[in-house]
Amino acid sequence: MTRPRITCLFAQYHPAGLLPPHVRHYLGELAASGMTVHLALSGVRTLSSDIARFCTARGIVPHLRPNRGMDFGAWQDLLAAGCAQGADRVVLANDSVFGPLHPLAPILERMMARPADVWGLVESRAPVWHLQSWFLCFGADALAHPAIRRVLAQPFAEMTKQEIILHGELGLGTAIRAAGLRAAAAWADTARGPRRLVPANPMHVDWLSIARSPDTPFIKVELLRDNPCGIGWTGAWRDLLATRDHFPAAWIDDALRGRPAGTCVAGWKSRLLFLLISRDRPAILRAMTRRRPATVPAMSPPAVAR
């Protein structure tokens, strides 16, 4: 049986034009799984020799572009450049997560075998049904569907972040269903109990259960950096990584150090609600009895992305 040709379009941005160790790790895992990886380096005008060597060693194709349109703008530019031509499946991914916390190739093999036109790693119903856009895989026919093409052809460079989320990520969810495409997710956002009435972002409210899952070993950068929902058990990430050796904690320490944190917008009522609806309840109980320091250590041991 002929192995399908899989292309990954990866959107990356760093304010200093760097390619941090945790992103190199992710890119290396994607390339090692057999994908052809096209890397959109947003805001980078000149390719550094260091990044060039990294890409060459792993068969990754770098693309320099202006920093506009965020991840959807980057994917749009890569599609316009013909990077997905000839691919049987196209993965859209970005650098908004830490991970994978364990090898990615077996996860991709399991998901690729599922009978789906499009699949993602995490499903969400907040605020409406969609597959979270930080990792999506489209079959060639699904990507070429007029409903999907219309979403990806929008002027993302002219949009704000919230508009891109609305018209891009949520728009894809609407288009997938309107087109009748078969969709699947490694992590299903099951509506049980209060969750039927209160949709919430699983990558925040259920983050620990997701990160521990064999098929979704990722943590959102936004969760650890900004924690906009005021999730009270984010400090458990260090204990989680202490139990595995595929992803050093130093990579997260280094990524968070010196980066301005956002503001928590959740009030105490919302925080209490998140406690009640989370699948992370055992971790929540432990967090209530053991407080961890919230600051990032001044120094961390050196770590090199494999």
Side-chain angles (χ1 to χ4, degrees):
M1 183 176 179
T2 304
R3 182 182 179 88
R5 294 166 295 180
I6 306 172
T7 293
C8 176
L9 309 182
F10 194 96
Q12 192 268 344
Y13 169 74
H14 189 281
L18 304 177
L19 195 62
H22 72 277
V23 180
R24 297 184 184 221
H25 166 74
Y26 191 5
L27 289 166
E29 290 275 319
L30 290 166
S33 70
M35 297 185 188
T36 298
V37 180
H38 289 270
L39 170 61
L41 296 163
S42 297
V44 176
R45 295 184 178 182
T46 304
L47 186 65
S48 70
S49 57
D50 172 58
I51 294 178
R53 285 193 300 270
F54 169 82
C55 291
T56 299
R58 291 157 183 80
I60 296 171
V61 184
H63 300 260
L64 311 186
R65 64 179 298 274
N67 181 30
R68 60 190 183 194
M70 304 186 70
D71 48 1
F72 275 86
W75 296 328
Q76 188 177 67
D77 285 353
L78 293 177
L79 287 169
C83 296
Q85 288 183 359
D88 298 308
R89 293 173 182 171
V90 177
V91 170
L92 306 181
N94 63 34
D95 62 348
S96 67
V97 290
F98 292 120
L101 308 184
H102 54 254
L104 184 62
I107 299 170
L108 298 179
E109 289 181 8
R110 289 192 291 271
M111 291 304 299
M112 293 291 182
R114 297 179 66 170
D117 301 309
V118 54
W119 59 267
L121 287 181
V122 174
E123 175 190 50
S124 177
R125 296 180 301 106
V128 296
W129 182 90
H130 64 284
L131 298 172
Q132 293 199 350
S133 62
W134 55 270
F135 193 105
L136 291 171
C137 179
F138 288 87
D141 291 341
L143 186 64
H145 194 285
I148 302 300
R149 285 297 190 185
R150 281 194 294 271
V151 173
L152 296 177
Q154 296 177 92
F156 296 112
E158 303 172 8
M159 297 183 187
T160 64
K161 178 179 179 180
Q162 291 305 315
E163 289 171 338
I164 291 172
I165 293 173
L166 174 62
H167 299 293
E169 183 172 45
L170 302 184
L172 276 179
T174 300
I176 288 168
R177 290 201 156 176
L181 299 175
R182 298 171 300 169
W187 178 272
D189 189 14
T190 307
R192 295 176 180 173
R195 290 289 277 271
R196 291 179 297 178
L197 303 175
V198 187
N201 185 345
M203 287 296 286
H204 288 229
V205 176
D206 303 322
W207 76 267
L208 185 55
S209 298
I210 289 175
R212 285 174 168 170
S213 168
D215 289 331
T216 52
F218 291 90
I219 303 172
K220 264 289 189 175
V221 173
E222 178 190 49
L223 173 73
L224 301 188
R225 184 191 62 213
D226 305 333
N227 196 8
C229 296
I231 302 301
W233 56 100
T234 56
W237 71 265
R238 200 174 295 277
D239 291 334
L240 174 65
L241 295 191
T243 64
R244 55 197 70 195
D245 59 5
H246 196 67
F247 192 99
W251 291 347
I252 295 181
D253 287 337
D254 293 341
L256 299 182
R257 185 176 297 109
R259 298 292 295 273
T263 302
C264 174
V265 297
W268 70 267
K269 292 182 180 179
S270 295
R271 297 188 190 195
L272 178 59
L273 180 61
F274 294 147
L275 289 173
L276 296 175
I277 66 176
S278 175
R279 299 187 194 180
D280 295 343
R281 289 190 188 93
I284 297 172
L285 294 176
R286 287 194 295 271
M288 292 173 64
T289 58
R290 182 182 61 184
R291 300 294 298 274
R292 299 191 67 89
T295 58
V296 175
M299 295 294 292
S300 59
V304 178
R306 290 184 288 272

